[in-house]
Amino acid sequence: MMEQLLHKYLVLHGQLAIPELGILSIKRLHSELDIQTGLRTAPRPMVVFSTESQSAPDKTLYDFLSRETGCDETSAIQDFQNFATRFTAALRQQQTAVLPGVGTLFAEGNGHIRFEAATDLSALLPPILLPDAALLSDAEQEEEPVLDEDDNWWYYALILLILGVGALIY
């Protein structure tokens, strides 16, 4: 139950601090273009983990847990602290800890913690093939467009404007 609530909190708020471990956050990867193949990947969210000494959760998390569970804030804080203690202990003892739907933390021998996201959204958002015109370099795209000399539509617009003003004056 707590894991589902924390997953929901991470998605809604973009960040989840786990005491003594670090911070899970959602970063937005920009669209990328492979000029060789002409494939463009879609922008997509990605869950990342960073170990920071100041990884204490804020009051927003406790308010969220209290609202979602229907209990008072003190109970929500205690439940989260119990979860964080169990999660950290599992990581230290088993060298791995899973947060369903988010990802897996791995404790490496040098004390470093590695994170692998649970889902890779690149499968849901496959790259698309762009037409050749879209593969122009930035320098080519910044050039001013060349006007077609046979494009005289503005002459007709000017004549209609003069006729309209003349009709109003008459």
Side-chain angles (χ1 to χ4, degrees):
M1 173 77 176
M2 179 61 73
E3 290 88 355
Q4 292 171 344
L5 291 174
L6 295 178
H7 182 243
K8 182 177 179 180
Y9 179 83
L10 176 63
V11 169
L12 292 175
H13 295 276
Q15 183 171 310
L16 172 65
I18 301 174
E20 299 179 24
L21 287 181
I23 297 176
L24 290 162
S25 56
I26 298 177
K27 301 290 181 191
R28 185 163 176 86
L29 296 178
H30 297 288
S31 173
E32 296 174 357
L33 172 64
D34 183 353
I35 295 178
Q36 300 292 330
T37 62
L39 293 175
R40 177 171 293 279
T41 59
R44 61 196 176 280
M46 179 179 182
V47 178
V48 295
F49 177 76
S50 64
T51 55
E52 296 183 14
S53 59
Q54 299 295 332
S55 63
D58 58 359
K59 185 168 175 22
T60 308
L61 173 64
Y62 300 133
D63 290 341
F64 173 81
L65 291 174
S66 177
R67 271 193 323 272
E68 289 292 314
T69 59
C71 63
D72 62 1
E73 190 172 327
T74 307
S75 297
I77 292 171
Q78 186 63 39
D79 290 345
F80 178 73
Q81 292 298 329
N82 290 340
F83 164 80
T85 302
R86 287 190 319 271
F87 192 76
T88 304
L91 181 62
R92 288 195 169 85
Q93 292 171 358
Q94 301 167 359
Q95 304 299 307
T96 183
V98 178
L99 192 56
V102 177
T104 305
L105 295 171
F106 299 95
E108 297 179 344
N110 58 3
H112 180 31
I113 299 174
R114 182 174 48 91
F115 175 75
E116 288 183 11
T119 57
D120 182 16
L121 295 179
S122 60
L124 298 174
L125 304 168
I128 59 169
L129 182 62
L130 296 177
D132 292 337
L135 297 177
L136 298 175
S137 68
D138 291 337
E140 292 172 333
Q141 289 180 2
E142 290 177 5
E143 292 179 10
E144 291 188 29
V146 178
L147 294 176
D148 186 9
E149 293 178 11
D150 295 333
D151 192 13
N152 296 326
W153 66 269
W154 61 276
Y155 286 125
Y156 300 111
L158 184 61
I159 291 170
L160 287 174
L161 176 68
I162 292 172
L163 289 174
V165 170
L168 286 175
I169 292 174
Y170 177 70

